[in-house]
Amino acid sequence: MKNVTIALDEDVARWARVEAAKRDMSFSRLVGEMLRDLMRSESSYEEARRQFFSVEPRPLRANSAPLPSREEIQNRSGLR
């Protein structure tokens, strides 16, 4: 484990001390776990992003048929 010094606003430090006490852990452990969780969530996000963009895009339509006009889409008389 590496010891570090951090500067916090007084209200943030107070909240963290109370939160650590609620969880029955030290202030240092609470801050360490919060930072570890943040690191993991960002890593997971980056991995999901890489995986998403690694897939080759494919066309939504198999042929070059024209898209329906706005009027065709808005015509709901067949639904009534």
Side-chain angles (χ1 to χ4, degrees), residues 2-3 8 32 34 36 41 46 62 70 73 75:
K2 175 78 175 159
N3 288 328
L8 301 172
M34 290 177 141
R36 186 192 65 231
S41 77
E46 284 303 318
R70 182 170 183 223
I73 293 172
N75 182 6

Side-chain angles (χ1 to χ4, degrees), residues 30-66:
L30 174 73
V31 172
E33 285 186 7
M34 290 177 141
L35 290 172
R36 186 192 65 231
D37 292 346
L38 179 61
M39 179 185 73
R40 286 181 178 166
S41 77
E42 286 187 4
S43 295
S44 296
Y45 173 81
E46 284 303 318
E47 176 58 32
R49 185 179 177 279
R50 273 193 297 278
Q51 186 177 5
F52 176 81
F53 286 112
S54 70
V55 175
E56 189 68 30
R58 62 178 198 259
L60 297 175
R61 296 178 287 151
N63 58 24
S64 60

